[in-house]
Every structure is written in structure tokens, then in C-alpha cells.
Amino acid sequence: MAKHPSTAPAKSAPQSAETALTNDVLAGLKKHPKELSPVWFYDELGSFLFDNICELPEYYITRTELQIMHGHALEMAHHIGPDAAVIEFGSGTSLKTRLLLDRLESPLAYVPVDISREHLFTAAGALAKDYPNLHIVPVCADFTQTFELPQFVRQAQRRVVYFPGSTLGNFARSQARELLVRMRDLVGGNGAILIGIDLRKDPSILERAYDDSAGVTAEFNINALRHVNRELGADFDLDAFDHLAVWVEEESRIEMHLVSKRDQVVHLGGDEIRFRRGEHLRTEYCHKYTVESFSELAATAGLAVKRVWMDPNKQFSVQLLEPARLQ
């Protein structure tokens, strides 16, 4: 599970945008099995619920990555070097970013990249107050697509993409490779990527992390249907679905599903979508890697793992990648 401010649907979208969103949702609901994009988790309530999830005892990801950053950010900064331009994909609350910025030697610039303009400029403004001597250059863009950096950032001695959290796990492996290639091209031959990667572990730990005892994650999952109802005029019955987290061994990923409690029909955009009792609607998947399997994925994108930092229990990792040198 990871936050997706970079791709969240616009609130109160214009008619043409609403039609496009409706068509996208319908396309997912007509797949076998049915799917709904995780971007629908993140309205105001969903963001509040996600923040609560990050504080739950079962949800190890956020606190474990913070533990790694507190313990090793100085070493990370040493590997990055002075005068770097840090480009963050999906800036979030910037808590981890501050731990890195505080330890970097004379960073040239910080460039948060996000498609949600309001979120982007609010976060950038808060950072600017605390780092008055740092060039903070927000770029409103979808980081999964090609975008342009300001010229002075492109001329930086070293460009570093920072991608904390475990968001890469939300991409299918082919898509994850494509995103890593974009990062590699963005930083250039002298650049680097600092990325959070969640690691494989006992599936029972993962299932508890994605299906907590307090039911917060279940409410977070159901809220995606509430969001679609409000924004696109669907009529999902929120009480007619159960939350389920399931480990899929052959894909090395945890999946979140909503399971229909009964035969039912959902209406959206003039279409009828039928659910059978017990039918699953997949709302998210999160791939988990071993150190070796992620290194292999990075290599297919022309990247080499230079350093790996892990917590003592080896549940999570922060990894430094650099473009592979031609032999």
C-alpha cells in the first residue's frame, strides 16, 4: 500500500474529464477479474484513513523506512555527494525528505514532482519556510510520463531521484521497469536513484498489515467505492462488499480485494455491471521483492544497485541505484 497523489482523480472534474474517468473505471470493471484503480482511495477521507493506517501497529512500512532514514541518511547523503539536485516523485508529507535534506552537503535544489497542483504547492511552500536557502522548484506533472526539468536543474553536477515509500511495488513488473528507465534517463549518466523497496517476508505479516484488527484498512478500501459514487454517480452499495487481503505467491505480491456479499448490479455511466456473490474486485496490488530480485529488475532497466540499507529485521530496504557502466 502506498499513497498515490501523483495520479489521483481531480475533484469535481469537468464533464469531458468525468467521462474519461467513467470510461476508465468501466474498463476495469469489465475485466476478468474486475479491477478498480487505487487512485480512487485518495479523496479527503481516504487520505485521512491512510495517515491513520501508517500509525497502526500492524502496518510496519512507514515506521520501518523512517527508522532506516534516521539511522542511515547521513551515509546516504555521503554517497549522493555535494551540490546535488534532488527530484522527488510524489512528495507526500516530506517527512523522509527532510531527513535527507538535513544531511546533504550544499544541495543545489529540491524538485518535488506531483500531478496534484494544490497538494504540490502546499507541501513545497511548507518546505520553503524551513529551508530558505534551498532552491525549491515544484513541477506539476505525472511522473509516470516524460516531463521537463527546469534548465538549471538539468545542469546540476548530480541529479538524484528520490522515491521513498513502497510505491514501485504498486506497478506491474513491466511498468516498474519502464518507470526505472524514466528515472535513469532523467538523472543521466552521473546521477543516482534513492528508492524505498519493501521486502518479501512471512505472508501472515503482510496480511495483517493490509487487514488490520481495527478495520481501518477495510474502511479505506470501501472508501474507494464511496469516492466513485460521489464523483461519477455510481450506486455501489458499500454494505454489500467485504474487504480481503490475500498473498499471491506466484506474483510475490499482496493484493487488496473487495468481495461481493451477494448477487448485485451496479450502475455507472449508463452501464450495468453485474457481480456474483463471492466475486472479487481487485483494488490494489503491492509487489514485494528480495534484494536479489530487485537487483535483477534494476539491471533490466540499465541500473546497478550500489548500496542497500535495511532495518535489523530486514523487512524494508532503501536502495541506491546508479546507471550501469558499459564494460
Side-chain angles (χ1 to χ4, degrees):
M1 192 187 309
K3 198 162 186 178
H4 297 257
S6 60
T7 49
K11 196 170 184 179
S12 301
Q15 183 60 40
S16 58
E18 182 177 316
T19 299
L21 289 170
T22 298
N23 290 340
D24 183 65
V25 170
L26 284 171
L29 293 176
K30 292 176 181 178
K31 288 182 178 180
H32 301 284
K34 292 179 171 66
E35 293 182 345
L36 180 65
S37 170
V39 301
W40 291 99
F41 291 145
Y42 296 103
D43 59 359
E44 185 176 357
L45 175 59
S47 295
F48 171 78
L49 291 169
F50 180 78
D51 289 342
N52 286 342
I53 288 169
C54 292
E55 300 295 327
L56 293 170
E58 297 97 331
Y59 193 73
Y60 61 89
I61 293 176
T62 303
R63 65 173 176 271
T64 305
E65 186 175 20
L66 281 170
Q67 177 187 5
I68 295 169
M69 294 302 295
H70 278 290
H72 300 286
L74 184 60
E75 186 182 351
M76 296 173 192
H78 175 75
H79 281 275
I80 289 171
D83 305 317
V86 177
I87 305 154
E88 183 172 0
F89 282 16
S91 55
T93 62
S94 299
L95 179 57
K96 299 162 194 167
T97 310
R98 289 170 183 267
L99 293 173
L100 181 63
L101 292 176
D102 286 345
R103 291 159 177 82
L104 285 172
E105 181 182 348
S106 59
L108 174 73
Y110 169 62
V111 185
V113 181
D114 202 295
I115 203 171
S116 175
R117 182 176 294 273
E118 181 179 356
H119 168 87
L120 173 68
F121 283 94
T122 298
L127 271 178
K129 292 179 181 178
D130 294 333
Y131 297 86
N133 298 320
L134 178 65
H135 291 290
I136 297 178
V137 190
V139 173
C140 189
D142 179 353
F143 64 67
T144 66
Q145 306 297 320
T146 301
F147 62 89
E148 287 296 320
L149 289 172
Q151 187 61 29
F152 88 95
V153 175
R154 296 193 64 82
Q155 294 172 348
Q157 180 174 325
R158 185 159 162 88
R159 297 190 297 275
V160 178
V161 166
Y162 183 41
F163 197 32
S166 57
T167 305
L168 192 76
N170 295 120
F171 293 85
R173 282 180 174 76
S174 60
Q175 297 170 324
R177 178 190 174 278
E178 290 173 6
L179 184 54
L180 289 171
V181 168
R182 290 186 186 280
M183 293 179 186
R184 183 202 66 199
D185 293 345
L186 192 69
V187 302
N190 190 45
I193 299 163
L194 189 65
I195 186 169
I197 298 296
D198 198 14
L199 300 176
R200 278 185 61 114
K201 54 188 65 68
D202 185 336
S204 67
I205 296 174
L206 291 165
E207 288 167 355
R208 288 195 299 272
Y210 289 79
D211 190 9
D212 60 276
S213 58
V216 182
T217 309
E219 180 59 27
F220 175 74
N221 202 5
I222 290 290
N223 186 62
L225 304 183
R226 182 183 290 111
H227 192 185
V228 173
N229 283 352
R230 185 181 65 252
E231 293 296 324
L232 302 182
D235 61 354
F236 282 100
D237 180 353
L238 307 187
D239 294 325
F241 291 88
D242 281 325
H243 166 71
L244 178 68
V246 59
W247 172 251
V248 182
E249 174 64 30
E250 60 270 24
E251 298 290 345
S252 190
R253 71 190 187 195
I254 190 83
E255 295 186 353
M256 294 216 309
H257 294 197
L258 290 167
V259 183
S260 181
K261 296 180 183 180
R262 55 177 170 79
D263 293 344
Q264 57 181 306
V265 178
V266 174
H267 300 89
L268 173 62
D271 273 80
E272 291 187 347
I273 306 298
R274 298 185 178 275
F275 285 83
R276 300 184 309 278
R277 180 182 179 183
E279 187 173 2
H280 288 218
L281 169 61
R282 185 170 64 199
T283 53
E284 185 180 50
Y285 50 73
C286 307
H287 292 88
K288 309 300 178 182
Y289 293 90
T290 64
V291 171
E292 294 76 17
S293 66
F294 181 70
S295 178
E296 292 168 0
L297 174 66
T300 67
L303 293 162
V305 177
K306 294 299 182 181
R307 189 71 171 83
V308 179
W309 296 273
M310 291 183 285
D311 61 286
N313 294 324
K314 298 184 178 180
Q315 291 192 325
F316 195 89
S317 67
V318 178
Q319 305 198 25
L320 182 73
L321 315 179
E322 292 180 355
R325 309 297 181 191
L326 295 177
Q327 301 298 320

